Amino acid sequence: DTEVTQTPKHLVMGMTNKKSLKCEQHMGHRAMYWYKQKAKKPPELMFVYSYEKLSINESVPSRFSPECPNSSLLNLHLHALQPEDSALYLCASSPRVGGAENEQFFGPGTRLTVL
Amino acid sequence: DAKTTQPNSMESNEEEPVHLPCNHSTISGTDYIHWYRQLPSQGPEYVIHGLTSNVNNRMASLAIAEDRKSSTLILHRATLRDAAVYYCILRGLAGGTSYGKLTFGQGTILTVHP
């Protein structure tokens, strides 16, 4: 199984809502990533988890709260988002964080709209 | 982070070879050159990577200049399914600022004509 799955595919939420994005992989990878991609722009790294511990936070606002409950699962909890947070949220995984040869496997993304 | 420069867009005809260039004049000796592509409405997917020597896999070939300041991704016979944004990315080893990160540039939009 070389797939990264993300749910939901689409999400519409109001600025006062709390929602969560879910990402799952069963490749035994110990590094997992969240990226944000605005329309017609390249993906931008948000968070990196290594062995279930947060290792990189790219100065992301606290209204985005990542969680890695186990080695296969990565969540992104959303609270009090702004309309400018509307974007495609991509999850990725790789065997480990280190190693310049490491290939990252991406999921299809969750298309988030904040009203 | 070492930076890459790619043309904004390129066009090709189906069944013809495509050469996608990437300049990375500030590359360090330990930076690997990675290529990813993103098809419409999908997440990015890995294409190929290399360090110094040319590389081939089932998807593409990677030609790396002798001074490593540039590289070219070669799609030997473009198909309509190859229409995507192609990203050239440098990945460094531990201790560098790019460690653990995949920093995407603007990429090259490849259009394939039937």
Side-chain angles (χ1 to χ4, degrees):
Chain A
D1 182 1
T2 59
E3 197 179 15
V4 175
T5 59
Q6 290 188 244
T7 54
K9 286 189 175 12
H10 300 274
L11 178 63
V12 179
M13 61 185 290
M15 289 189 285
T16 58
N17 292 157
K18 285 185 183 182
K19 297 285 185 184
S20 296
L21 309 184
K22 179 180 169 182
C23 172
E24 203 160 0
Q25 58 87 16
H26 296 286
M27 295 178 276
H29 290 173
R30 303 313 297 272
M32 296 187 76
Y33 311 79
W34 280 116
Y35 290 83
K36 174 181 178 179
Q37 186 173 26
K38 301 282 277 182
K40 299 196 185 305
K41 296 290 187 184
E44 294 179 344
L45 182 68
M46 299 174 73
F47 302 105
V48 180
Y49 271 83
S50 176
Y51 290 86
E52 296 95 74
K53 287 188 174 18
L54 183 65
S55 65
I56 296 176
N57 176 342
E58 292 285 87
S59 302
V60 178
S62 60
R63 57 185 184 271
F64 295 91
S65 176
E67 178 197 21
C68 191
N70 60 57
S71 60
S72 300
L73 192 55
L74 185 67
N75 297 320
L76 186 63
H77 302 297
L78 314 172
H79 173 55
L81 294 194
Q82 304 296 311
E84 58 264 29
D85 297 320
S86 299
L88 181 69
Y89 288 84
L90 294 160
C91 174
S93 71
S94 65
R96 61 190 188 285
V97 170
E101 298 187 80
N102 260 340
E103 170 188 347
Q104 288 189 17
F105 293 78
F106 284 80
T110 293
R111 178 78 57 190
L112 173 68
T113 302
V114 182
L115 300 176
Chain B
D1 291 348
K3 188 175 160 54
T4 63
T5 305
Q6 299 177 251
N8 289 335
S9 62
M10 290 187 66
E11 296 188 18
S12 172
N13 294 318
E14 210 175 2
E15 306 281 309
E16 290 183 356
V18 181
H19 291 235
L20 296 163
C22 180
N23 286 321
H24 29 78
S25 58
T26 59
I27 190 171
S28 76
T30 53
D31 282 339
Y32 280 76
I33 302 158
H34 284 243
W35 284 82
Y36 282 73
R37 71 179 186 180
Q38 187 170 19
L39 279 64
S41 302
Q42 294 189 29
E45 67 173 339
Y46 166 83
V47 177
I48 200 166
H49 77 270
L51 183 61
T52 56
S53 304
N54 295 344
V55 184
N56 301 297
N57 67 20
R58 64 174 180 80
M59 288 180 72
S61 295
L62 177 60
I64 301 172
E66 200 167 329
D67 64 5
R68 300 211 325 127
K69 293 184 186 301
S70 66
S71 61
T72 302
L73 180 71
I74 303 165
L75 307 179
H76 295 285
R77 290 180 66 204
T79 70
L80 296 178
R81 291 189 67 251
D82 291 320
V85 181
Y86 286 79
Y87 297 101
C88 170
I89 301 167
L90 301 183
R91 296 206 65 194
L93 294 177
T97 56
S98 64
Y99 179 70
K101 301 181 183 182
L102 208 57
T103 303
F104 290 82
Q106 294 303 310
T108 296
I109 300 170
L110 176 65
T111 302
V112 180
H113 299 289

